[in-house]
Structure formats: structure tokens, C-alpha cells
Amino acid sequence: MKIKNIQEELKSGSYGGPTFDRYPSLNYILKDTGCHRLLDVCKDEDFQYDSSYGNSEELVTLPQNELINEYLYYVKSFLNNIKELQYIQLELISKENLEIMYNQVLNDNFFKLQDVLIKNIKGGIEVANYELIKYSNVILDDKLTSLTLITVTNVILLIFIYIFIFNKAYREKIKEMETLVSFAFMVPQQIINSNEKYKRFLETCQFDE
């Protein structure tokens, strides 16, 4: 069955992701027996067993993986052994027909057991989903802290570079320009007047092309 293959791929990690063993917080769901519900809310009805249709404590409190295996086993067995005309086949065109079909399913041992198994499987999946979300939030918080630390470090580094490198280079260039300007205006006026290009440079800061 395709569902069975998917389950095996999830367990082994062959689907491309991590195996269940990578999440120890799920061990009590995947490896321990019991009733699993969000916030540990298991009602009295979850512990009501009826061996007449296979609803036993040993079965319905199996660890999640084994419970899914049992569910798939019963479904496969049902499909392989269903007898022709075992169930009344009616067209769903009237209220009476719908009621007959509904009661037929409601009172059938196979479907009663499936209802119990699905409820427990669903409860386990919801708890596992909650645990994975909680685990993801912890990872995200940790990554956010690391990212914040890296960002702050980079900002401090940029400030350091500006103050001790760019600013220092800027001050040195300013000093060079001040020295050059001072030198330019130390030249005697007679020399300036005798050199038209030099005079124009001092007046316009441009050389002739």
C-alpha cells in the first residue's frame, strides 16, 4: 500500500529528510504506549474498550508507528476479505437510503474499530505536530540570537573601520591638501604673475586643456 511505503520512508529517512530518531522529544509518542492528546487531555471515553470488535487496551495504546501499522493491517485485511453483497448497496438519493447506509457503517465492527484507531492516530499526530513546532521555535530563537549577535558585531566592525581607517585616511588627505595650498600661496607674487598657467590654476583650480 502506498501509505505503508510513505510511513516506511518517513521512519527510515529515505524520502530525503531526517529520521524520527533526530527528534528525541517525540520518543514518548513513537516508542511509548498510552493515550496521546494535546495538553495530555485524554477523556474517559478514550479508555473504554470493547473486545467484541477488537478495541482492546493493548491495541489502541500502541506507540504511534505500531498503531499506524495495525491500522493499515486491518484496512488491507478488510479490502482483501470483503465479501460481495456483505453490505447493502443503495443509491444515495433519499433520506431513507442515507440512513440505512449510515447505520450500516455505524454498526459495523470494522468501521467502529477504524473510528477508534483513527482517533488515536490523529491525537498522536497532533501532539507530534505540536512538539515539532515547539522544537522549530527553539531553533528559530537560537538562530535569531546568533543573527542578532552577528549583526551587532558587523555594525561595531563597520564603525571601527570608519573611525580608525577611513577617518584617518580622510584626515591625512586633508593635511596633504592644506600643505599643498599653503605651498601654492607661498610662491612670490612676481613668479605667479610671470607664469600664466600657474596663475590661472590658483584662480580657477583648473589647467588649460
Side-chain angles (χ1 to χ4, degrees), residues 75-186:
V75 170
K76 184 176 181 180
S77 178
F78 172 79
L79 294 176
N80 290 337
N81 298 306
I82 187 171
K83 298 176 182 178
E84 189 176 358
L85 303 179
Q86 180 176 348
Y87 296 98
I88 301 173
Q89 302 294 322
L90 299 173
E91 294 185 9
L92 304 179
I93 57 176
S94 67
K95 180 180 178 181
E96 290 74 16
N97 285 2
L98 286 172
E99 185 175 358
I100 292 172
M101 296 289 288
Y102 175 77
N103 288 330
Q104 178 178 240
V105 171
L106 188 65
N107 297 316
D108 185 84
N109 287 341
F110 169 77
F111 290 107
K112 285 194 288 187
L113 180 59
Q114 292 304 294
D115 182 60
V116 173
L117 294 179
I118 289 174
K119 183 183 296 184
N120 280 18
I121 291 172
K122 178 175 176 287
I125 290 174
E126 288 176 342
V127 174
N129 185 56
Y130 172 79
E131 291 290 345
L132 289 174
I133 291 175
K134 187 167 66 174
Y135 175 79
S136 298
N137 288 336
V138 171
I139 296 297
L140 288 175
D141 288 342
D142 181 61
K143 296 299 182 183
L144 181 60
T145 301
S146 300
L147 182 60
T148 302
L149 180 61
I150 292 172
T151 302
V152 171
T153 302
N154 286 338
V155 170
I156 294 174
L157 183 60
L158 288 174
I159 294 174
F160 175 84
I161 291 173
Y162 173 77
I163 293 176
F164 294 98
I165 298 179
F166 291 152
N167 198 35
K168 181 180 179 181
Y170 172 76
R171 289 198 303 268
E172 289 177 352
K173 285 296 180 182
I174 290 295
K175 288 181 180 179
E176 290 177 4
M177 292 178 65
E178 289 176 347
T179 302
L180 181 61
V181 170
S182 298
F183 174 77
F185 285 97
M186 286 175 62

Side-chain angles (χ1 to χ4, degrees), residues 176-206:
E176 290 177 4
M177 292 178 65
E178 289 176 347
T179 302
L180 181 61
V181 170
S182 298
F183 174 77
F185 285 97
M186 286 175 62
V187 177
Q189 190 65 36
Q190 296 88 342
I191 297 177
I192 294 175
N193 293 334
S194 64
N195 190 319
E196 193 63 30
K197 288 185 178 181
Y198 189 61
K199 181 180 180 181
R200 188 176 294 107
F201 169 72
L202 293 178
E203 292 174 350
T204 64
C205 295
Q206 293 180 350

